[in-house]
């Protein structure tokens, strides 16, 4: 098969933003999103700029706290506390990674769960596992949205998620389980990973290793979601899946860039609107 559907994350994200703008227009108060950025990591600065632009597009008010690389734990904590206490702010995001001398877990757990738009605090993790209402991490939500543009009913499908991070792999596996998939989580200690991937009707890769998943790892007709973002020596971006090879096997695949990435921001806005509501 060589006519794989290229899942258009930019379009899906634009449609999601339109839906969110309509909701925001009907609210009495503009939702507010606060982003805390510590240090000078250039990629983080680009991500934050993109998030702020996306907020403007849907009518969400954005707030920013930029702290220097040498900021102390207490200084970052004070910013989080101020945003927790500010009624204009519905969502708080600590841009990761933070410099090594800071305890990122302690900072994340300071965020009020109802403002935790990254879905990383313990009450939100618990709510996801218990299938209760809470804020779910953005990238898994965006990935599920893209899978559903191809296939609505996932019941009984075998889903393989490569990666078990708290930010992506674990919550993605939970969302797939909620859709009645049979879920396998693979990671760096998994044996025979190629054989496991070959069984996947839905294959989700979130590792951070360029083109790790080869065409021959992919079951004919699988839906492939490539979450990885890797910068190659020539400056171009690629995913964790060998895209060219995968095109010949998959039923549908997300490109990198232009697949999962735009959906992450769209669902950050969605979580902010949800928190405001
Ligand atoms: P992470 O915390 O570094 O987790 C990577 C996972 O990959 C770990 O669970 C690790 O296993 C596993 N792994 C590493 N080497 C492996 C191997 N050889 N075989 C199988 N599994 C292996 O990363 P993350 O935050 O989940 O992000 C993963 C990728 O997604 C990165 O490229 C990141 O940039 C990208 N990402 C993209 C978006 C987006 O918006 N598109 C959002 C988030 C992340 P262990 O647990 O055993 O170490």
């Amino acid at each position: 098969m060589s006519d794989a559907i290229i899942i258009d994350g930019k379009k899906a994200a634009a449609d999601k933003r339109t839906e969110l703008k309509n909701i925001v227009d009907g609210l009495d108060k503009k939702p507010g999103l606060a982003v805390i950025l510590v240090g000078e990591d250039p990629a983080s600065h680009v991500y934050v700029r993109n998030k702020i632009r996306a907020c403007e597009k849907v009518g969400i008010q954005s707030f920013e706290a930029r702290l220097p690389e040498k900021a102390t734990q207490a200084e970052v904590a004070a910013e989080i506390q101020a945003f927790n206490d500010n009624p204009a702010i519905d969502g708080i995001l600590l841009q990761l990674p933070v410099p090594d001398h800071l305890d990122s877990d302690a900072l994340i757990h300071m965020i009020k769960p109802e403002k935790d738009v990254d879905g990383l605090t313990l009450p939100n993790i618990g709510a996801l596992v218990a299938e209760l209402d809470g804020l779910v991490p953005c990238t898994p939500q965006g990935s599920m949205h893209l899978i559903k543009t191809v296939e609505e009913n996932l019941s009984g499908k075998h889903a393989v998620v490569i990666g078990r991070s708290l930010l992506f792999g674990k919550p993605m596996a939970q969302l797939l389980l909620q859709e009645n998939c049979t879920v396998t989580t693979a990671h760096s200690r998994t044996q025979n990973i190629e054989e496991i991937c070959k069984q996947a009707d839905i294959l989700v890769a979130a590792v951070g290793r360029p083109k790790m998943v080869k065409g021959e790892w992919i079951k004919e007709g699988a839906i492939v979601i490539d979450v990885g973002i890797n910068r190659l020596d020539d400056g171009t971006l690629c995913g964790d899946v060998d895209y060219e090879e995968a095109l010949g096997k998959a039923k549908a695949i997300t490109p990198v860039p232009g697949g999962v990435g735009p959906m992450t921001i769209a669902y950050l806005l969605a979580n902010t609107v949800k928190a405001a509501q």
Side-chain angles (χ1 to χ4, degrees):
M1 205 197 293
S2 60
D3 52 346
I5 298 165
I6 313 299
I7 304 172
D8 187 346
K10 279 191 193 163
K11 173 160 189 324
D15 291 348
K16 185 74 193 169
R17 283 196 303 270
T18 304
E19 179 194 317
L20 290 169
K21 185 165 188 326
N22 288 334
I23 297 172
V24 169
D25 287 347
L27 296 177
D28 295 337
K29 164 193 151 313
K30 262 190 173 189
L33 173 68
V35 182
I36 301 164
L37 178 56
V38 188
E40 301 306 328
D41 177 46
S44 292
H45 279 258
V46 172
Y47 292 145
V48 168
R49 206 181 312 133
N50 290 343
K51 286 168 185 174
I52 288 169
R53 276 199 202 127
C55 280
E56 285 163 4
K57 282 186 190 160
V58 301
I60 291 175
Q61 205 180 349
S62 58
F63 299 78
E64 241 188 298
R66 287 180 187 243
L67 290 105
E69 187 80 26
K70 288 199 163 71
T72 63
Q73 184 85 6
E75 284 166 341
V76 184
E79 294 291 348
I80 293 174
Q81 198 52 53
F83 287 144
N84 273 342
D85 295 340
N86 184 342
I89 287 165
D90 302 288
I92 302 172
L93 180 144
L94 176 65
Q95 182 65 42
L96 299 172
V98 294
D100 287 345
H101 67 277
L102 297 173
D103 178 348
S104 59
D105 284 347
L107 293 169
I108 286 165
H109 294 142
M110 273 190 66
I111 297 172
K112 270 190 184 169
E114 60 270 30
K115 295 190 178 190
D116 164 31
V117 283
D118 254 346
L120 291 175
T121 58
L122 297 180
N124 282 319
I125 294 168
L128 175 60
V129 176
E131 300 194 19
L132 298 171
D133 196 29
L135 291 164
V136 176
C138 310
T139 311
Q141 281 195 81
S143 300
M144 181 55 84
H145 180 128
L146 293 179
I147 293 169
K148 291 219 159 179
T149 62
V150 182
E151 203 145 326
E152 186 56 36
N153 182 3
L154 308 181
S155 183
K157 304 271 181 212
H158 187 184
V160 174
V161 181
I162 318 177
R164 56 174 165 179
S165 67
L166 211 50
L167 193 63
F168 185 79
K170 283 180 180 145
M172 187 72 229
Q174 284 298 326
L175 291 181
L176 288 160
L177 206 52
Q178 282 177 20
E179 294 292 330
N180 297 316
C181 290
T182 302
V183 183
T184 303
T185 299
H187 46 77
S188 68
R189 313 292 171 88
T190 298
Q191 295 182 4
N192 301 326
I193 194 164
E194 176 177 344
E195 293 308 315
I196 290 167
C197 290
K198 276 182 185 165
Q199 296 167 26
D201 302 307
I202 299 162
L203 180 59
V204 184
V207 181
R209 291 170 76 103
K211 302 187 185 183
M212 181 183 112
V213 176
K214 306 295 173 203
E216 63 209 27
W217 295 26
I218 295 169
K219 181 176 171 179
E220 193 85 35
I223 298 174
V224 178
I225 302 295
D226 193 351
V227 182
I229 303 175
N230 307 290
R231 193 168 289 283
L232 300 176
D233 290 342
D234 66 3
T236 57
L237 292 180
C238 82
D240 291 344
V241 177
D242 189 318
Y243 183 74
E244 296 301 329
E245 287 185 14
L247 282 177
K249 296 293 281 297
K251 169 164 122 183
I253 183 165
T254 57
V256 178
V260 173
M263 292 305 282
T264 295
I265 298 190
Y267 273 88
L268 171 66
L269 306 179
N271 273 353
T272 306
V273 171
K274 182 176 180 187
Q277 284 175 312

